[in-house]
Amino acid sequence: MGSMAAALFPGAPLSKARSTSPLRATNLSIQHVALGDVLFKTWYPSYYPEGLVGRELDRLYVCQWCFKYCPDLVPFLAHRKFCSARSESPPGQLIYSRENYAIYEVDGEEHQLFSQNLSLFAKLFLDNKSVFFDVASFNFYLLAHKTTTDHLPASQPQIIGFFSKEKMSWDNNNLACILVFPPWQRKGLGKILMGISYELSRLEGRIGGPEKPLSELGRMGYLKFWQARVASALLDLRNKSALSVEEIADACWMLPEDVITTIKEMDCLETKKMKNDSSVMINKARVRAWLIESKVDLTAPIDEAGFAEDYLADDKENKDSGNFMDFTIACGILEWKVHRIVICSHSDYFRRLEGFEEGKTNRLDLQEESPAVVAKLVNYLYTCDYDDSVLDFPEHDSEDNNANGSEEASNEDSRERSDSQAFMPGKLALHARMYVVGDQYCIDQLKLLAKIKFSAALVNCWDKEDFPEIIRFIYDNTVSKDRGLRESLVPILLQHQEELRADDAFMDVVETHGEFAKDFVNALIGAKHQPQSVYDPYRQSSLRPPFYLVE
C-alpha cells in the first residue's frame, strides 16, 4: 500500500478512513473506493458499468474533483494530472459560504456527466433513493470543505457530501437523497445540508420536507435536526399560551406530520383536565430538561448572512418581476401570477387544462368565485395552508351585465348564480367554501385541510346566526356520496339537538332540504342505539388539537 500511495500523491500516505458503515451488503462488487487520498470501504453495490469495472473489484479509484472513475491506477493517475476540474471550483453556482464550508448548486441537466458520476459514487453508500442517469430533473447541492493542504490548491474545495432535490416535486419534497461521505460523517455536517434544504424552501415560500420513506439512518438524523428546530421555536414563543401544530410548522417551515413525529419523540407532552375536556400540554420545563439530557445543540446550522448576495438577488428579482411565472389566475379585476408547475402539482384539474383554451392562453378565469376565496386558493397552492381571516376585496364589476341595456338580463344572471355560491363571511362559512373549492378543482388535500378547520371551528360556531345557511350551502354544493362535511355536522347536531330544534331557521332547513332531513333523522335514530358522547372535533387521527404551553 505504501508504494501505491506514493504513486497517487508523492510524499503522502493513502489514509484509511474509519468506517461508519451500517450493516454492509454481502453482494458487493466493489469492496473499497479511493476518493483522492482517502481509502474507505463501500456499503452497498452501485451500478458502475460492468464492462469498465468488472464483476468483482477490490478498489475503485474516483477523482475527487470530477468523480470520474477507473479500476486501474495508471490511467487514473494520468487523468488526475490533467483533470480540468483540478484547478477550478466545483461546478455550478456558489450559493452559500460560511467559515470552512460552502454549498454549490449544480443543475443536473447542465452538468449531466458530473451529476451521473456523483450519483454512481453515492450509490456505494445509499441503499436506495439514488438517481443515476435521469439527472436532468434534479438539482444537486454540493457540500464543499475549504481547506489548505500540501496536496490540494488553497482555492480548490473538497466535495464531502451533497443532497439532491427534484426541480418539480408533486409532494413538495425539499430533498430527495442526502449523503455525507463516510470519512466526514459524525461531524454534524448533515445538519448543514438539511438546514440548506429548509432555507431553500423558505426562500421559495413553500413548506416541505424530505422524500419519504426515510432510511433508519436518515430518520435518526432528521429527528435530531427536527428536535432542535422545534425545541428552539417552542422556547422562543414566550407570549403565547396555546398554539396549533400548523403554527409550529409555520414557525419551523416544517410539514405538520414531521412536527407531530418530533414532539412525540421529545416526550414533552402532558394531558391536563380542562373545563369541558382533556387538553394536551407542552411542558417547557420538560423541553429544557430533554435538551440537557439529549445534549441537543440549538445553534442554527445555517446563517442567512452566508447566502451569496447574487443568489439572493436573483431569487428576489424572480419573485418581484414574476420571472418563471407562466400562468395567470384571474377573478374579477384581480389577477395572480403563478407557476404552472406549482399548481399542476396539486391537481389533475390544472394538468388537464393543457388541451383546452385555458392551457393555450395560460390563463384561467374564475369569475364565479369570490376574489377572497381565490386569494386563499392561490395561497394554499404555494403553502399548503390558508389563513382564517376574511379578506375584503372589490366586488365583481357588473358593468358588463348592464352594458346589454337590460336590467332583466342582469337579474337573470344573478339568479343563475345561486345564493349558496356567494362568499359568506365567517370562519365556519369560509372553511365550508374552501372545501367546495377543493372539490371543484380536484384538490383532495385542500378538502382534507378545510374539513379539519371546519370541524374545529364548528365547536364554537354552531350557534351562530348563519349556521342554518351554512348547512344549506354544504348540501347544495356537495354530492350525496361526499360525506366529508356532512359527517362533520352530525355529532354537533346530536349534541345540541334541543337548542337547534328551537331555532326556526334551522327547522326551515330541515323542512325544505330533503337530503339534510334524511341525514338528521338517521342520526337521531342511530344515536338511540349508542351512548351519548360529547362532540370531539379531534376524534379522527387527521384532526390535530392545539397544544397549550406551560412553563
Side-chain angles (χ1 to χ4, degrees):
M1 181 176 291
S3 60
M4 183 176 294
L8 277 171
F9 297 101
L14 185 66
S15 59
K16 266 196 172 184
R18 178 173 57 87
S19 175
T20 57
S21 165
L23 186 62
R24 295 183 74 199
T26 57
N27 58 336
L28 295 175
S29 57
I30 300 171
Q31 300 296 322
H32 301 84
V33 63
L35 179 67
D37 63 342
V38 183
L39 178 70
F40 43 101
K41 293 180 179 180
T42 61
W43 297 355
Y44 301 102
S46 186
Y47 297 98
Y48 285 103
E50 186 177 307
L52 292 178
V53 302
R55 291 188 177 182
E56 294 185 6
L57 185 67
D58 177 65
R59 182 175 303 176
L60 180 69
Y61 300 96
V62 177
C63 177
Q64 67 198 83
W65 300 305
C66 69
F67 287 86
K68 290 182 179 178
Y69 51 90
C70 184
D72 300 312
L73 177 61
V74 174
F76 176 69
L77 292 176
H79 162 79
R80 281 184 47 81
K81 185 176 181 180
F82 299 102
C83 178
S84 60
R86 177 170 185 165
S87 58
E88 301 174 356
S89 296
Q93 178 185 6
L94 174 66
I95 68 170
Y96 181 85
S97 180
R98 207 66 177 167
E99 297 178 348
N100 295 325
Y101 298 99
I103 299 289
Y104 291 82
E105 181 183 66
V106 177
D107 187 325
E109 184 175 16
E110 184 178 350
H111 300 277
Q112 189 168 8
L113 181 60
F114 173 88
S115 301
Q116 289 176 346
N117 287 334
L118 176 64
S119 299
L120 285 171
F121 175 79
K123 181 61 184 72
L124 294 170
F125 311 99
L126 294 172
D127 190 19
N128 51 26
K129 286 189 181 179
S130 186
V131 181
F132 309 110
F133 299 105
D134 183 22
V135 295
S137 58
F138 287 81
N139 284 330
F140 295 79
Y141 295 86
L142 312 178
L143 174 61
H145 182 222
K146 298 179 290 185
T147 183
T148 302
T149 69
D150 295 337
H151 318 301
L152 293 175
S155 59
Q156 173 65 346
Q158 167 70 57
I159 300 172
I160 59 176
F162 77 100
F163 74 86
S164 61
K165 175 184 176 183
E166 288 180 286
K167 296 177 181 177
M168 179 180 66
S169 172
W170 301 117
D171 301 314
N172 276 347
N173 294 328
N174 62 17
L175 183 147
C177 70
I178 180 173
L179 174 68
V180 175
F181 302 158
W184 292 273
Q185 290 182 0
R186 301 183 184 275
K187 301 179 186 296
L189 300 179
K191 294 191 299 183
I192 297 178
L193 293 173
M194 296 176 193
I196 287 290
S197 71
Y198 278 93
E199 283 299 306
L200 293 177
S201 292
R202 185 182 63 80
L203 291 173
E204 296 169 0
R206 301 177 67 183
I207 291 179
E211 182 179 311
K212 309 294 195 315
L214 294 169
S215 66
E216 187 58 33
L217 286 178
R219 183 178 182 275
M220 291 170 57
Y222 262 100
L223 272 177
K224 290 181 180 178
F225 175 80
W226 288 337
Q227 286 166 349
R229 204 170 178 91
V230 170
S232 180
L234 291 175
L235 297 179
D236 285 344
L237 295 170
R238 304 182 184 278
N239 299 322
K240 299 202 69 171
S241 59
L243 69 162
S244 66
V245 170
E246 285 74 15
E247 288 175 308
I248 303 174
D250 289 344
C252 301
W253 287 89
M254 289 171 53
L255 294 173
E257 53 265 36
D258 294 338
V259 171
I260 293 174
T261 298
T262 303
I263 291 177
K264 288 180 178 179
E265 289 287 336
M266 290 171 64
D267 191 28
C268 61
L269 297 179
E270 296 178 351
T271 302
K272 184 176 180 180
K273 190 71 175 177
M274 304 293 281
K275 291 182 180 180
N276 298 320
D277 60 358
S278 295
S279 296
V280 180
M281 324 288 289
I282 294 179
N283 190 319
K284 287 188 176 181
R286 291 179 64 174
V287 173
R288 296 186 187 96
W290 175 86
L291 287 173
I292 295 173
E293 181 181 353
S294 303
K295 299 180 180 180
V296 173
D297 184 7
L298 294 185
T299 305
I302 299 300
D303 184 351
E304 188 176 347
F307 278 95
E309 291 185 5
D310 57 343
Y311 181 78
L312 293 177
D314 290 344
D315 181 75
K316 185 177 187 303
E317 179 183 353
N318 290 334
K319 289 181 178 178
D320 293 345
S321 66
N323 289 348
F324 309 115
M325 292 185 175
D326 50 3
F327 200 85
T328 300
I329 296 178
C331 181
I333 62 175
L334 299 178
E335 292 184 350
W336 292 264
K337 296 291 186 181
V338 298
H339 302 81
R340 182 192 290 265
I341 190 175
V342 173
I343 65 175
C344 290
S345 68
H346 289 278
S347 167
D348 285 337
Y349 175 90
F350 296 114
R351 290 195 286 269
R352 291 170 182 168
L353 292 178
E354 191 66 33
F356 296 89
E357 184 66 21
E358 292 84 355
K360 299 175 182 177
T361 61
N362 294 323
R363 180 184 179 88
L364 178 64
D365 289 306
L366 304 179
Q367 301 302 336
E368 296 302 314
E369 300 291 350
S370 160
V373 170
V374 177
K376 293 182 184 296
L377 170 62
V378 173
N379 185 51
Y380 172 83
L381 294 175
Y382 277 88
T383 66
C384 296
D385 196 6
Y386 63 88
D387 66 88
D388 296 344
S389 62
V390 179
L391 304 179
D392 293 323
F393 282 96
E395 294 297 326
H396 290 298
D397 193 349
S398 60
E399 184 177 343
D400 292 340
N401 286 333
N402 295 332
N404 296 329
S406 171
E407 184 176 350
E408 289 77 14
S410 178
N411 291 337
E412 183 65 26
D413 288 342
S414 298
R415 285 194 296 270
E416 287 181 359
R417 184 183 178 191
S418 168
D419 289 340
S420 63
Q421 285 286 342
F423 179 70
M424 301 173 290
K427 291 185 178 182
L428 196 61
L430 167 64
H431 302 319
R433 187 74 195 102
M434 294 305 294
Y435 182 93
V436 172
V437 167
D439 183 58
Q440 289 175 339
Y441 301 109
C442 306
I443 310 174
D444 291 338
Q445 290 302 312
L446 175 56
K447 290 179 65 178
L448 177 59
L449 176 64
K451 178 183 176 182
I452 292 171
K453 290 175 177 279
F454 179 87
S455 299
L458 192 57
V459 178
N460 298 317
C461 296
W462 66 270
D463 56 350
K464 301 296 184 183
E465 185 177 348
D466 62 347
F467 182 53
E469 285 306 312
I470 293 173
I471 296 175
R472 192 187 304 275
F473 171 83
I474 292 172
Y475 276 80
D476 283 345
N477 291 280
T478 60
V479 297
S480 57
K481 292 183 179 180
D482 187 345
R483 308 301 301 174
L485 293 188
R486 299 187 182 197
E487 287 184 350
S488 297
L489 289 169
V490 171
I492 206 76
L493 295 177
L494 293 177
Q495 185 176 340
H496 300 285
Q497 56 180 289
E498 295 301 327
E499 300 99 312
L500 290 171
R501 282 175 175 175
D503 185 344
D504 292 339
F506 174 81
M507 292 308 299
D508 182 65
V509 178
V510 175
E511 293 171 4
T512 59
H513 212 298
E515 280 194 78
F516 173 65
K518 178 182 176 182
D519 285 348
F520 187 45
V521 171
N522 287 339
L524 293 176
I525 295 174
K528 294 181 179 180
H529 301 287
Q530 56 186 0
Q532 292 288 332
S533 60
V534 176
Y535 174 56
D536 176 10
Y538 306 114
R539 66 194 183 282
Q540 300 181 37
S541 59
S542 61
L543 305 183
R544 301 183 285 265
F547 293 112
Y548 295 90
L549 300 180
V550 294
E551 293 294 337

